[in-house]
Amino acid sequence: MASTSMRAGAGRLLEIVECSECQTSQRAASAPDHSLDMCTWGTEDVVQCIQKLALSKDYGDIIRTEAIDGAVLQTMGDEDWKGLGAPFGDRRKILVALQSMK
C-alpha cells in the first residue's frame, strides 16, 4: 500500500491511500485511529460509515447479513443498493459519499 500526503484547505492534511489488493485509491482526512483504506474494513466498519449518513433506515443488519465489507462496498452500485431495498434518496446519498472517498 502506497500513501502520499498533501495539505488541503484550513490546514487539513489529506492522505491518498492506494490499495494494491483492489487497485483503488481513497482520499480522506487523516485520522490516526481509523484506517482510510476501505479494503481493510470489516462489516462493522462499513456499518459505522453508512450510519453516519443519516439515511431513512438502518442498514446495519442488511450489511451484516450480506457480509458487506470494505472491498465489497467499493464495488457496489445503484442496482446493488436497490436490490437491498434502499430507496432512491438513500442510494444517492450512499453513492455520493462513496465517490467522495475515492
Side-chain angles (χ1 to χ4, degrees):
M1 181 178 355
S3 174
T4 57
S5 297
M6 62 184 177
R7 290 272 171 211
R12 285 187 16 209
L13 180 65
L14 294 181
E15 184 174 18
I16 306 296
V17 179
E18 293 185 35
C19 177
S20 57
E21 285 180 38
C22 59
Q23 299 174 351
T24 60
S25 62
Q26 297 88 32
R27 180 185 64 171
S30 294
D33 60 341
H34 187 68
S35 174
L36 299 175
D37 182 5
M38 272 196 279
C39 291
T40 65
W41 289 9
T43 54
E44 290 305 314
D45 297 310
V46 173
V47 169
Q48 289 177 12
C49 177
I50 298 298
Q51 285 176 339
K52 291 178 182 177
L53 299 177
L55 303 172
S56 68
K57 66 181 194 177
D58 182 5
Y59 293 93
D61 289 339
I62 293 169
I63 291 167
R64 290 180 193 97
T65 299
E66 298 297 328
I68 299 171
D69 61 12
V72 172
L73 179 65
Q74 293 179 89
T75 67
M76 292 179 69
D78 188 63
E79 288 299 314
D80 298 310
W81 287 103
K82 187 175 186 177
L84 294 175
F88 179 80
D90 284 358
R91 296 193 316 264
R92 244 352 106 217
K93 289 177 185 176
I94 292 166
L95 295 174
V96 166
L98 292 176
Q99 184 63 35
S100 73
M101 295 176 75
K102 291 184 178 182

Coordinates of all heavy atoms in Angstrom, one line a residue:
M1 N 0.9 -1.2 0.0 CA 0.0 0.0 0.0 C 0.9 1.2 0.0 O 1.8 1.3 0.8 CB -0.9 0.0 1.2 CG -1.8 1.2 1.3 SD -3.0 1.2 2.7 CE -2.8 -0.3 3.5
A2 N 0.6 2.1 -0.9 CA 1.4 3.4 -1.0 C 0.5 4.5 -0.5 O -0.7 4.5 -0.5 CB 1.8 3.6 -2.5
S3 N 1.2 5.5 0.1 CA 0.5 6.6 0.6 C 1.2 7.9 0.3 O 2.5 8.0 0.4 CB 0.4 6.4 2.2 OG -0.2 7.5 2.8
T4 N 0.5 9.0 0.0 CA 1.1 10.3 -0.2 C 0.2 11.3 0.6 O -1.0 11.1 0.7 CB 1.2 10.7 -1.7 OG1 -0.2 10.7 -2.2 CG2 2.1 9.8 -2.4
S5 N 0.8 12.3 1.1 CA 0.0 13.3 1.8 C 0.1 14.7 1.1 O 1.1 15.0 0.5 CB 0.5 13.5 3.2 OG 0.4 12.3 3.9
M6 N -0.9 15.5 1.3 CA -0.9 16.9 0.8 C -1.7 17.7 1.7 O -2.6 17.3 2.4 CB -1.4 16.9 -0.6 CG -2.8 16.5 -0.8 SD -3.2 16.5 -2.5 CE -4.9 15.8 -2.5
R7 N -1.5 19.0 1.7 CA -2.3 20.0 2.5 C -3.5 20.3 1.8 O -3.5 20.6 0.6 CB -1.5 21.2 2.8 CG -0.4 21.0 3.7 CD -0.8 21.2 5.2 NE 0.2 20.7 6.1 CZ 0.0 20.2 7.2 NH1 -1.2 20.0 7.7 NH2 1.0 19.8 8.0
A8 N -4.6 20.4 2.5 CA -5.9 20.8 1.9 C -6.3 22.2 2.6 O -5.6 22.6 3.5 CB -7.0 19.8 2.2
G9 N -7.4 22.7 2.3 CA -7.9 24.0 2.9 C -8.0 23.9 4.4 O -8.1 22.8 5.0
A10 N -7.8 25.0 5.1 CA -7.9 25.1 6.5 C -6.9 24.2 7.2 O -7.1 23.8 8.3 CB -9.3 24.7 7.0
G11 N -5.7 23.9 6.5 CA -4.6 23.2 7.2 C -4.9 21.7 7.4 O -4.1 21.1 8.0
R12 N -6.0 21.2 6.8 CA -6.3 19.8 6.9 C -5.3 19.0 6.1 O -4.9 19.4 5.0 CB -7.7 19.4 6.4 CG -8.7 19.8 7.4 CD -10.1 19.3 7.0 NE -10.1 18.3 6.0 CZ -11.0 18.1 5.1 NH1 -12.1 18.9 5.1 NH2 -10.9 17.1 4.3
L13 N -4.8 17.9 6.6 CA -3.9 17.0 5.9 C -4.7 15.9 5.3 O -5.5 15.2 5.9 CB -2.9 16.4 6.9 CG -1.8 15.5 6.3 CD1 -1.0 16.3 5.3 CD2 -1.0 14.9 7.4
L14 N -4.6 15.8 3.9 CA -5.3 14.8 3.2 C -4.3 13.7 2.8 O -3.1 14.0 2.6 CB -5.9 15.3 1.9 CG -7.1 16.3 2.1 CD1 -7.6 16.7 0.7 CD2 -8.2 15.8 2.9
E15 N -4.8 12.5 2.9 CA -3.9 11.4 2.5 C -4.5 10.6 1.4 O -5.7 10.2 1.5 CB -3.7 10.5 3.8 CG -2.7 9.4 3.5 CD -2.4 8.6 4.8 OE1 -3.1 8.8 5.8 OE2 -1.4 7.9 4.8
I16 N -3.8 10.3 0.4 CA -4.2 9.4 -0.7 C -3.7 8.0 -0.4 O -2.5 7.8 -0.3 CB -3.7 9.9 -2.1 CG1 -4.1 11.3 -2.3 CG2 -4.2 9.0 -3.2 CD1 -5.5 11.6 -2.4
V17 N -4.6 7.1 -0.2 CA -4.2 5.7 0.1 C -4.5 4.8 -1.1 O -5.7 4.8 -1.5 CB -4.9 5.2 1.4 CG1 -4.5 3.8 1.7 CG2 -4.7 6.1 2.6
E18 N -3.5 4.1 -1.6 CA -3.8 3.3 -2.7 C -3.6 1.8 -2.2 O -2.7 1.4 -1.6 CB -2.8 3.5 -3.8 CG -3.0 4.9 -4.4 CD -2.1 5.1 -5.6 OE1 -1.8 4.2 -6.4 OE2 -1.7 6.3 -5.8
C19 N -4.6 1.0 -2.5 CA -4.7 -0.3 -2.1 C -4.3 -1.2 -3.2 O -4.9 -1.3 -4.3 CB -6.1 -0.7 -1.6 SG -6.3 -2.4 -1.1
S20 N -3.2 -2.0 -3.1 CA -2.7 -2.8 -4.1 C -3.6 -4.0 -4.3 O -3.7 -4.6 -5.4 CB -1.3 -3.3 -3.8 OG -1.3 -4.0 -2.6
E21 N -4.4 -4.4 -3.3 CA -5.3 -5.6 -3.4 C -6.4 -5.3 -4.4 O -6.7 -6.1 -5.3 CB -5.9 -5.9 -2.1 CG -4.9 -6.6 -1.1 CD -5.6 -7.0 0.2 OE1 -6.8 -7.3 0.2 OE2 -4.9 -6.9 1.2
C22 N -7.1 -4.2 -4.2 CA -8.3 -3.9 -5.1 C -8.0 -2.8 -6.1 O -8.9 -2.4 -6.8 CB -9.5 -3.6 -4.2 SG -9.2 -2.1 -3.2
Q23 N -6.8 -2.3 -6.1 CA -6.3 -1.3 -7.1 C -7.2 -0.1 -7.1 O -7.6 0.4 -8.2 CB -6.2 -2.0 -8.5 CG -5.2 -3.1 -8.5 CD -5.2 -3.8 -9.9 OE1 -6.1 -3.6 -10.7 NE2 -4.3 -4.7 -10.0
T24 N -7.5 0.4 -6.0 CA -8.3 1.6 -5.9 C -7.6 2.6 -5.0 O -6.7 2.2 -4.3 CB -9.7 1.4 -5.3 OG1 -9.6 0.8 -4.0 CG2 -10.5 0.4 -6.2
S25 N -8.1 3.8 -4.9 CA -7.5 4.8 -4.0 C -8.6 5.6 -3.4 O -9.7 5.7 -4.0 CB -6.5 5.7 -4.7 OG -7.2 6.4 -5.7
Q26 N -8.4 6.0 -2.2 CA -9.4 6.8 -1.5 C -8.7 8.1 -1.0 O -7.5 8.1 -0.7 CB -10.0 6.1 -0.2 CG -10.7 4.8 -0.6 CD -9.8 3.6 -0.7 OE1 -8.8 3.5 0.0 NE2 -10.1 2.7 -1.5
R27 N -9.5 9.1 -0.8 CA -9.0 10.4 -0.3 C -9.8 10.7 0.9 O -11.0 10.8 0.9 CB -9.1 11.5 -1.3 CG -8.6 12.8 -0.8 CD -8.8 13.9 -1.8 NE -10.3 14.0 -2.0 CZ -10.9 15.0 -2.6 NH1 -10.2 15.8 -3.3 NH2 -12.2 15.0 -2.7
A28 N -9.2 11.0 2.0 CA -9.9 11.3 3.2 C -9.0 12.1 4.2 O -7.8 12.0 4.1 CB -10.5 10.1 3.9
A29 N -9.6 12.8 5.1 CA -8.8 13.5 6.1 C -8.1 12.4 7.0 O -8.7 11.4 7.3 CB -9.7 14.4 7.0
S30 N -6.8 12.7 7.3 CA -6.1 11.8 8.1 C -6.7 11.6 9.5 O -7.1 12.5 10.1 CB -4.6 12.3 8.3 OG -4.0 12.3 7.1
A31 N -6.7 10.3 9.9 CA -7.3 10.0 11.3 C -6.5 8.8 11.8 O -6.5 7.8 11.2 CB -8.8 9.6 11.2
P32 N -5.7 9.0 12.8 CA -4.8 8.0 13.3 C -5.5 6.8 13.8 O -4.9 5.7 13.8 CB -4.0 8.7 14.4 CG -4.8 9.8 14.8 CD -5.6 10.2 13.6
D33 N -6.7 6.9 14.3 CA -7.4 5.7 14.9 C -8.3 5.0 13.9 O -9.0 4.1 14.3 CB -8.1 6.2 16.1 CG -9.2 7.2 15.8 OD1 -9.1 7.8 14.8 OD2 -10.1 7.4 16.7
H34 N -8.4 5.4 12.7 CA -9.3 4.7 11.7 C -8.6 4.6 10.4 O -8.1 5.5 9.9 CB -10.6 5.5 11.6 CG -11.6 4.8 10.8 ND1 -12.2 3.7 11.2 CD2 -12.1 5.0 9.5 CE1 -13.1 3.3 10.3 NE2 -13.0 4.1 9.2
S35 N -8.6 3.4 9.8 CA -8.0 3.1 8.6 C -8.7 3.8 7.4 O -9.9 3.7 7.3 CB -8.0 1.6 8.3 OG -7.5 1.3 7.0
L36 N -8.0 4.5 6.6 CA -8.5 5.1 5.4 C -8.7 4.2 4.2 O -9.3 4.5 3.3 CB -7.7 6.3 5.0 CG -7.5 7.4 6.0 CD1 -6.5 8.4 5.6 CD2 -8.8 8.0 6.4
D37 N -8.1 3.0 4.3 CA -8.1 2.0 3.3 C -9.3 1.2 3.4 O -9.4 0.3 4.2 CB -6.8 1.2 3.4 CG -6.7 0.2 2.2 OD1 -7.5 0.2 1.4 OD2 -5.7 -0.6 2.3
M38 N -10.3 1.4 2.6 CA -11.6 0.7 2.7 C -11.4 -0.8 2.5 O -12.2 -1.6 2.9 CB -12.6 1.2 1.7 CG -13.4 2.3 2.2 SD -14.9 2.6 1.2 CE -14.2 3.6 -0.1
C39 N -10.3 -1.2 1.8 CA -10.1 -2.6 1.5 C -9.9 -3.4 2.8 O -10.1 -4.6 2.9 CB -8.9 -2.8 0.6 SG -9.1 -2.3 -1.0
T40 N -9.5 -2.7 3.9 CA -9.2 -3.4 5.1 C -10.4 -3.3 6.1 O -10.4 -3.9 7.2 CB -8.0 -2.7 5.9 OG1 -8.4 -1.4 6.2 CG2 -6.8 -2.7 5.0
W41 N -11.5 -2.6 5.7 CA -12.7 -2.5 6.5 C -13.4 -3.8 6.6 O -13.6 -4.5 5.6 CB -13.7 -1.5 6.0 CG -13.2 -0.1 6.1 CD1 -12.0 0.4 6.4 CD2 -14.0 1.1 5.7 NE1 -12.0 1.8 6.4 CE2 -13.2 2.2 6.0 CE3 -15.3 1.3 5.3 CZ2 -13.7 3.5 5.8 CZ3 -15.8 2.5 5.1 CH2 -15.0 3.7 5.3
G42 N -13.9 -4.1 7.8 CA -14.8 -5.2 8.0 C -16.2 -4.8 8.0 O -16.5 -3.6 7.7
T43 N -17.1 -5.7 8.2 CA -18.6 -5.3 8.1 C -18.9 -4.2 9.1 O -19.7 -3.3 8.8 CB -19.5 -6.5 8.2 OG1 -19.2 -7.2 9.4 CG2 -19.3 -7.5 7.1
E44 N -18.4 -4.3 10.3 CA -18.7 -3.3 11.3 C -18.2 -1.9 10.9 O -18.9 -0.9 11.2 CB -18.2 -3.7 12.7 CG -19.0 -4.9 13.3 CD -20.5 -4.7 13.3 OE1 -20.9 -3.6 13.8 OE2 -21.2 -5.6 12.9
D45 N -17.1 -1.8 10.3 CA -16.6 -0.5 9.8 C -17.5 0.0 8.7 O -17.8 1.2 8.7 CB -15.2 -0.7 9.1 CG -14.1 -1.1 10.1 OD1 -14.1 -0.5 11.2 OD2 -13.4 -2.1 9.9
V46 N -18.0 -0.8 7.9 CA -19.0 -0.4 6.8 C -20.3 0.1 7.5 O -20.8 1.1 7.1 CB -19.3 -1.5 5.8 CG1 -20.4 -1.1 4.9 CG2 -18.0 -1.9 5.1
V47 N -20.8 -0.7 8.5 CA -22.0 -0.3 9.2 C -21.8 1.1 9.8 O -22.6 2.0 9.7 CB -22.3 -1.3 10.3 CG1 -23.4 -0.7 11.3 CG2 -22.8 -2.6 9.7
Q48 N -20.7 1.4 10.5 CA -20.4 2.7 11.1 C -20.4 3.8 10.0 O -20.9 4.9 10.2 CB -19.1 2.7 11.8 CG -19.1 1.9 13.1 CD -17.8 1.8 13.8 OE1 -16.9 2.6 13.5 NE2 -17.7 1.0 14.8
C49 N -19.7 3.5 8.9 CA -19.7 4.5 7.8 C -21.1 4.9 7.3 O -21.4 6.0 7.1 CB -18.8 4.0 6.7 SG -18.7 5.0 5.3
I50 N -21.9 3.9 7.0 CA -23.2 4.1 6.4 C -24.1 4.7 7.5 O -24.9 5.6 7.1 CB -23.8 2.7 6.0 CG1 -22.9 2.1 4.8 CG2 -25.2 2.9 5.5 CD1 -22.8 3.0 3.6
Q51 N -24.0 4.4 8.7 CA -24.8 5.0 9.8 C -24.6 6.5 9.9 O -25.5 7.3 10.3 CB -24.6 4.3 11.1 CG -25.3 3.0 11.2 CD -25.0 2.3 12.5 OE1 -24.0 2.5 13.2 NE2 -25.8 1.3 12.8
K52 N -23.4 7.0 9.6 CA -23.1 8.4 9.7 C -23.8 9.2 8.6 O -23.8 10.4 8.7 CB -21.6 8.6 9.5 CG -20.8 8.1 10.7 CD -19.3 8.3 10.5 CE -18.6 7.7 11.7 NZ -17.1 7.8 11.6
L53 N -24.4 8.6 7.6 CA -25.0 9.3 6.5 C -26.5 9.7 6.8 O -27.1 10.4 6.0 CB -25.0 8.4 5.2 CG -23.7 8.0 4.7 CD1 -23.8 7.1 3.5 CD2 -22.8 9.3 4.4
A54 N -27.0 9.4 8.0 CA -28.4 9.8 8.4 C -29.4 9.4 7.3 O -30.1 10.3 6.8 CB -28.4 11.3 8.7
L55 N -29.5 8.1 7.0 CA -30.4 7.6 6.0 C -31.8 7.4 6.5 O -32.0 7.5 7.7 CB -29.8 6.4 5.3 CG -28.4 6.5 4.7 CD1 -27.8 5.2 4.3 CD2 -28.4 7.5 3.6
S56 N -32.7 7.0 5.7 CA -34.1 6.9 6.1 C -34.3 5.6 6.9 O -35.3 5.5 7.6 CB -35.0 6.8 4.9 OG -34.8 5.7 4.1
K57 N -33.4 4.6 6.9 CA -33.5 3.4 7.7 C -32.1 2.9 8.0 O -31.1 3.4 7.5 CB -34.3 2.4 7.0 CG -33.7 1.8 5.7 CD -34.6 0.7 5.1 CE -34.0 -0.1 4.1 NZ -34.9 -1.2 3.6
D58 N -32.0 2.0 9.0 CA -30.8 1.4 9.4 C -30.4 0.2 8.6 O -31.2 -0.7 8.4 CB -30.9 1.0 10.9 CG -29.6 0.5 11.5 OD1 -28.6 0.5 10.8 OD2 -29.7 0.0 12.6
Y59 N -29.3 0.3 7.9 CA -28.8 -0.8 7.1 C -27.9 -1.8 7.7 O -27.3 -2.7 7.1 CB -28.2 -0.2 5.8 CG -29.2 0.5 4.9 CD1 -29.4 1.9 5.1 CD2 -29.9 -0.1 4.0 CE1 -30.3 2.6 4.3 CE2 -30.9 0.5 3.3 CZ -31.0 1.9 3.4 OH -32.0 2.6 2.7
G60 N -27.6 -1.6 9.0 CA -26.7 -2.4 9.8 C -27.0 -3.9 9.6 O -26.0 -4.7 9.3
D61 N -28.2 -4.4 9.8 CA -28.5 -5.8 9.8 C -28.3 -6.3 8.3 O -27.8 -7.4 8.1 CB -29.9 -6.1 10.2 CG -30.1 -5.9 11.7 OD1 -29.1 -6.0 12.5 OD2 -31.2 -5.7 12.2
I62 N -28.7 -5.5 7.3 CA -28.5 -5.9 6.0 C -27.0 -6.1 5.6 O -26.6 -7.1 5.0 CB -29.2 -4.9 5.0 CG1 -30.7 -5.0 5.2 CG2 -28.8 -5.2 3.5 CD1 -31.4 -3.8 4.5
I63 N -26.2 -5.1 6.0 CA -24.8 -5.2 5.8 C -24.2 -6.4 6.4 O -23.4 -7.1 5.8 CB -24.1 -3.9 6.3 CG1 -24.6 -2.7 5.4 CG2 -22.6 -4.0 6.3 CD1 -24.2 -1.3 5.9
R64 N -24.6 -6.7 7.6 CA -24.0 -7.9 8.3 C -24.5 -9.2 7.7 O -23.7 -10.1 7.4 CB -24.5 -7.8 9.8 CG -23.8 -6.8 10.6 CD -24.2 -6.8 12.1 NE -23.8 -5.6 12.8 CZ -24.6 -4.5 12.9 NH1 -25.9 -4.5 12.5 NH2 -24.2 -3.5 13.6
T65 N -25.8 -9.3 7.4 CA -26.3 -10.5 6.7 C -25.7 -10.7 5.4 O -25.4 -11.9 5.1 CB -27.9 -10.3 6.6 OG1 -28.5 -10.2 7.9 CG2 -28.5 -11.6 5.9
E66 N -25.5 -9.7 4.6 CA -24.9 -9.8 3.3 C -23.4 -9.8 3.3 O -22.8 -9.9 2.2 CB -25.5 -8.7 2.4 CG -27.0 -8.8 2.2 CD -27.5 -10.0 1.5 OE1 -26.7 -10.6 0.6 OE2 -28.6 -10.5 1.8
A67 N -22.8 -9.7 4.5 CA -21.3 -9.7 4.6 C -20.7 -8.7 3.7 O -19.7 -9.0 3.0 CB -20.8 -11.1 4.3
I68 N -21.1 -7.5 3.8 CA -20.6 -6.4 3.0 C -19.4 -5.8 3.8 O -19.6 -5.0 4.7 CB -21.7 -5.3 2.7 CG1 -22.8 -6.0 1.9 CG2 -21.1 -4.2 1.9 CD1 -24.0 -5.1 1.7
D69 N -18.2 -6.1 3.3 CA -17.0 -5.5 3.9 C -16.6 -4.3 3.0 O -17.2 -4.0 2.0 CB -15.9 -6.5 4.2 CG -15.5 -7.2 2.9 OD1 -15.8 -6.7 1.8 OD2 -14.7 -8.2 3.0
G70 N -15.5 -3.7 3.3 CA -15.0 -2.6 2.6 C -14.7 -2.9 1.1 O -15.0 -2.1 0.2
A71 N -14.1 -4.0 0.8 CA -13.8 -4.4 -0.6 C -15.1 -4.5 -1.4 O -15.2 -4.1 -2.5 CB -13.0 -5.7 -0.6
V72 N -16.1 -5.1 -0.8 CA -17.4 -5.2 -1.5 C -18.1 -3.9 -1.6 O -18.6 -3.5 -2.7 CB -18.3 -6.2 -0.7 CG1 -19.7 -6.2 -1.3 CG2 -17.7 -7.6 -0.7
L73 N -18.0 -3.1 -0.6 CA -18.7 -1.8 -0.6 C -18.2 -0.9 -1.7 O -19.0 -0.3 -2.4 CB -18.4 -1.0 0.7 CG -19.0 0.4 0.9 CD1 -20.5 0.3 0.9 CD2 -18.5 1.0 2.2
Q74 N -16.9 -1.0 -2.0 CA -16.3 -0.2 -3.1 C -16.9 -0.6 -4.5 O -16.8 0.2 -5.4 CB -14.8 -0.3 -3.1 CG -14.2 0.3 -1.9 CD -12.7 0.1 -2.0 OE1 -12.0 0.9 -2.6 NE2 -12.2 -1.0 -1.4
T75 N -17.3 -1.8 -4.6 CA -17.8 -2.3 -5.9 C -19.3 -2.1 -6.1 O -19.8 -2.3 -7.2 CB -17.5 -3.7 -6.1 OG1 -18.2 -4.5 -5.2 CG2 -16.0 -4.0 -5.9
M76 N -20.0 -1.7 -5.0 CA -21.5 -1.6 -5.1 C -22.0 -0.4 -5.9 O -21.4 0.7 -5.7 CB -22.1 -1.7 -3.7 CG -21.8 -3.0 -3.0 SD -22.5 -3.0 -1.3 CE -24.3 -3.0 -1.7
G77 N -23.0 -0.6 -6.7 CA -23.6 0.5 -7.4 C -25.0 0.7 -7.1 O -25.6 0.0 -6.1
D78 N -25.7 1.5 -7.8 CA -27.1 1.8 -7.6 C -28.0 0.6 -7.5 O -28.8 0.4 -6.7 CB -27.6 2.8 -8.6 CG -29.0 3.3 -8.3 OD1 -29.1 4.0 -7.3 OD2 -29.9 3.0 -9.1
E79 N -27.8 -0.3 -8.5 CA -28.7 -1.5 -8.6 C -28.5 -2.4 -7.4 O -29.4 -3.1 -6.9 CB -28.4 -2.3 -9.9 CG -29.0 -1.6 -11.1 CD -30.5 -1.4 -11.0 OE1 -31.2 -2.4 -10.7 OE2 -31.0 -0.3 -11.3
D80 N -27.2 -2.5 -6.9 CA -26.9 -3.3 -5.7 C -27.7 -2.8 -4.5 O -28.4 -3.6 -3.8 CB -25.4 -3.3 -5.4 CG -24.6 -3.9 -6.5 OD1 -24.9 -5.0 -7.0 OD2 -23.7 -3.3 -6.9
W81 N -27.7 -1.5 -4.3 CA -28.4 -0.9 -3.1 C -29.9 -1.0 -3.3 O -30.6 -1.2 -2.4 CB -27.9 0.5 -2.9 CG -26.6 0.6 -2.3 CD1 -25.4 0.9 -3.0 CD2 -26.2 0.3 -1.0 NE1 -24.4 0.8 -2.1 CE2 -24.8 0.4 -0.9 CE3 -26.9 -0.1 0.2 CZ2 -24.1 0.2 0.3 CZ3 -26.3 -0.3 1.3 CH2 -24.9 -0.2 1.4
K82 N -30.3 -0.9 -4.6 CA -31.8 -1.1 -4.8 C -32.2 -2.5 -4.5 O -33.3 -2.7 -3.9 CB -32.0 -0.8 -6.3 CG -33.5 -0.7 -6.7 CD -33.7 -0.3 -8.1 CE -35.1 -0.1 -8.5 NZ -35.3 0.4 -9.9
G83 N -31.4 -3.4 -4.9 CA -31.7 -4.8 -4.6 C -31.7 -5.1 -3.1 O -32.4 -6.1 -2.6
L84 N -31.0 -4.3 -2.3 CA -31.1 -4.5 -0.8 C -32.2 -3.7 -0.2 O -32.4 -3.6 1.0 CB -29.7 -4.0 -0.2 CG -28.5 -4.8 -0.6 CD1 -27.3 -4.2 0.0 CD2 -28.7 -6.3 -0.1
G85 N -33.0 -3.0 -1.0 CA -34.2 -2.3 -0.5 C -34.0 -0.9 -0.2 O -34.9 -0.3 0.4
A86 N -32.9 -0.3 -0.6 CA -32.7 1.1 -0.4 C -33.5 2.0 -1.3 O -33.4 1.8 -2.5 CB -31.2 1.4 -0.5
P87 N -34.2 3.0 -0.8 CA -35.0 3.9 -1.7 C -34.0 4.8 -2.4 O -32.8 4.9 -2.0 CB -35.8 4.7 -0.7 CG -35.2 4.6 0.6 CD -34.4 3.3 0.6
F88 N -34.5 5.5 -3.4 CA -33.7 6.3 -4.3 C -32.8 7.3 -3.5 O -31.6 7.5 -3.7 CB -34.6 7.1 -5.3 CG -33.8 8.0 -6.2 CD1 -33.1 7.5 -7.3 CD2 -33.7 9.4 -5.9 CE1 -32.4 8.3 -8.1 CE2 -33.0 10.2 -6.7 CZ -32.3 9.7 -7.8
G89 N -33.4 8.1 -2.6 CA -32.7 9.1 -1.8 C -31.5 8.5 -1.0 O -30.4 9.1 -1.0
D90 N -31.7 7.4 -0.4 CA -30.6 6.7 0.4 C -29.5 6.2 -0.6 O -28.4 6.4 -0.3 CB -31.2 5.5 1.2 CG -31.9 6.0 2.4 OD1 -32.0 7.2 2.7 OD2 -32.4 5.1 3.1
R91 N -29.9 5.7 -1.7 CA -29.0 5.2 -2.7 C -28.1 6.3 -3.2 O -26.9 6.2 -3.3 CB -29.6 4.5 -3.9 CG -30.4 3.3 -3.5 CD -30.8 2.4 -4.7 NE -31.4 3.1 -5.8 CZ -32.7 3.2 -6.1 NH1 -33.6 2.8 -5.2 NH2 -33.1 3.8 -7.2
R92 N -28.7 7.5 -3.5 CA -27.9 8.6 -3.9 C -26.9 9.1 -2.9 O -25.8 9.4 -3.2 CB -28.9 9.8 -4.2 CG -29.0 10.3 -5.6 CD -28.1 9.9 -6.7 NE -28.9 9.0 -7.5 CZ -28.4 7.9 -8.2 NH1 -27.2 7.6 -8.0 NH2 -29.2 7.2 -8.9
K93 N -27.4 9.2 -1.6 CA -26.5 9.6 -0.5 C -25.3 8.7 -0.3 O -24.2 9.1 -0.1 CB -27.3 9.7 0.8 CG -28.3 10.9 0.8 CD -29.1 10.9 2.1 CE -30.1 11.9 2.2 NZ -30.9 11.8 3.4
I94 N -25.6 7.4 -0.4 CA -24.5 6.4 -0.2 C -23.5 6.5 -1.4 O -22.3 6.6 -1.1 CB -25.1 5.0 -0.2 CG1 -25.9 4.8 1.1 CG2 -24.0 3.9 -0.3 CD1 -26.8 3.5 1.1
L95 N -24.0 6.6 -2.6 CA -23.1 6.6 -3.8 C -22.3 7.9 -3.8 O -21.1 7.9 -4.2 CB -23.9 6.4 -5.1 CG -24.5 5.0 -5.2 CD1 -25.4 4.9 -6.4 CD2 -23.5 3.9 -5.2
V96 N -22.9 9.0 -3.5 CA -22.2 10.3 -3.4 C -21.1 10.3 -2.3 O -20.0 10.7 -2.6 CB -23.1 11.5 -3.2 CG1 -22.4 12.8 -2.8 CG2 -24.0 11.7 -4.4
A97 N -21.4 9.7 -1.2 CA -20.4 9.6 -0.1 C -19.3 8.7 -0.5 O -18.1 9.0 -0.3 CB -21.1 9.1 1.2
L98 N -19.6 7.6 -1.1 CA -18.5 6.7 -1.6 C -17.6 7.3 -2.6 O -16.4 7.2 -2.6 CB -19.1 5.4 -2.1 CG -19.8 4.5 -1.0 CD1 -20.4 3.3 -1.6 CD2 -18.7 4.1 0.0
Q99 N -18.3 8.0 -3.5 CA -17.5 8.7 -4.6 C -16.5 9.7 -4.0 O -15.4 9.9 -4.5 CB -18.4 9.3 -5.6 CG -17.7 10.0 -6.8 CD -17.0 9.0 -7.6 OE1 -17.4 7.8 -7.8 NE2 -15.8 9.4 -8.1
S100 N -17.0 10.4 -3.0 CA -16.2 11.5 -2.4 C -15.0 10.9 -1.6 O -14.0 11.6 -1.4 CB -17.0 12.4 -1.4 OG -17.3 11.7 -0.3
M101 N -15.0 9.6 -1.3 CA -13.9 8.9 -0.6 C -12.9 8.4 -1.6 O -11.8 8.0 -1.1 CB -14.5 7.8 0.3 CG -15.4 8.3 1.4 SD -16.1 7.0 2.3 CE -14.7 6.5 3.3
K102 N -13.2 8.4 -2.8 CA -12.2 7.8 -3.8 C -11.2 8.8 -4.2 O -11.4 10.0 -4.2 CB -13.0 7.3 -5.0 CG -13.8 6.1 -4.7 CD -14.4 5.5 -5.9 CE -15.2 4.3 -5.5 NZ -15.8 3.6 -6.6

